[in-house]
Amino acid sequence: MAKPCSYNDPITYLGQLMDEAVRRGVPDYQAAALATVEPTTGRPSVRTVYVHRLGDTLGLFVNSRTGKGRQLEWNPHAGLCFFWRSLQTQVVIDGTVELLDEASADHLWSRRSRECSLVASASHPERVTAGSVTLPERISQRRHRYDFQPVPRPLYWVAYRLIPIRMEFWATGWQRARLRRLFERAPDGGWQHVLREP
């Protein structure tokens, strides 16, 4: 189980949890559920994305041609939920998003694995079908084209910075009978926090 939260800065604590997940070999430790709202129906929409630390904010990629891209463009509010079972810890984050500039997006893209970049570059999830050339074939074509060179970021893959305004840490543990620590942005830009029952 992760150490109890004892920091006034929840971003620092989140970073330490992620570092602990790396040390323990937690697979996909950067994966979090991203919650947005569909503009045409007002319904919630959730999917898993990889999240990167960007100073005191968090970075993530979406395909601007798909639902998540349209949803974040329409409503700049989003939520994230990390759950690391081996750490017995859940972190829920609410915040606002802002589009990163091209240079920052390219830098963030360079931190992705090569396979992840190849798949993202070759995939067309906005289409029902991409024609006669299958996804594995397109991935293979790009692998051959770029050889050992960096895979460039398609312009329709955009990066967002999520600025947390609310963060909740819950050491789930045995029967989950542990308090939740809730942090919220104070008017002065700092953090205020309270303990709540599960």
Side-chain angles (χ1 to χ4, degrees):
M1 185 175 63
K3 295 179 180 179
C5 179
S6 59
Y7 301 96
N8 291 326
D9 179 4
I11 300 292
T12 297
Y13 186 56
L14 175 64
Q16 295 196 353
L17 284 173
M18 296 179 82
D19 291 341
E20 179 66 16
V22 172
R23 283 193 292 271
R24 296 196 190 188
V26 174
D28 297 323
Y29 74 95
Q30 293 174 287
L34 170 65
T36 54
V37 176
E38 172 55 44
T40 58
T41 64
R43 296 174 182 167
S45 173
V46 180
R47 67 168 296 174
T48 302
V49 298
Y50 280 134
V51 178
H52 304 266
R53 282 182 283 172
L54 294 175
D56 60 353
T57 65
L58 301 167
L60 56 96
F61 275 100
V62 297
N63 185 326
S64 63
R65 298 174 177 175
T66 61
K68 278 287 174 273
R70 295 191 302 269
Q71 290 155 13
L72 290 178
E73 184 178 6
W74 175 72
N75 183 349
H77 299 278
L80 290 170
C81 181
F82 292 93
F83 177 59
W84 299 292
R85 183 178 298 277
S86 60
L87 300 185
Q88 297 183 22
T89 299
Q90 174 180 272
V91 183
V92 177
I93 304 168
D94 296 327
T96 58
V97 298
E98 58 183 33
L99 198 62
L100 288 175
D101 60 52
E102 297 293 318
S104 298
D106 287 339
H107 176 70
L108 197 61
W109 179 268
S110 71
R111 293 166 57 180
R112 295 161 64 100
S113 71
R114 182 172 182 78
E115 285 303 309
C116 186
S117 297
L118 284 168
V119 172
S121 174
S123 176
H124 301 292
E126 74 279 6
R127 303 179 189 173
V128 175
T129 176
S132 59
V133 181
T134 66
L135 177 60
E137 289 172 332
R138 294 197 304 275
I139 294 172
S140 179
Q141 290 170 357
R142 280 164 173 75
R143 183 177 288 112
H144 178 74
R145 179 192 308 170
Y146 299 120
D147 196 16
F148 293 102
Q149 300 301 313
V151 180
R153 175 181 62 88
L155 293 181
Y156 53 85
W157 275 95
V158 296
Y160 281 94
R161 180 198 316 276
L162 186 141
I163 304 166
I165 57 176
R166 181 182 182 276
M167 300 180 68
E168 181 184 86
F169 297 85
W170 185 26
T172 54
W174 177 247
Q175 295 183 343
R176 304 183 297 178
R178 290 190 169 90
L179 297 178
R180 295 177 290 136
R181 187 177 293 270
L182 174 64
F183 289 81
E184 293 186 288
R185 284 285 186 189
D188 62 2
W191 292 96
Q192 53 192 14
H193 69 274
V194 296
L195 293 175
R196 289 185 175 175
E197 295 185 359

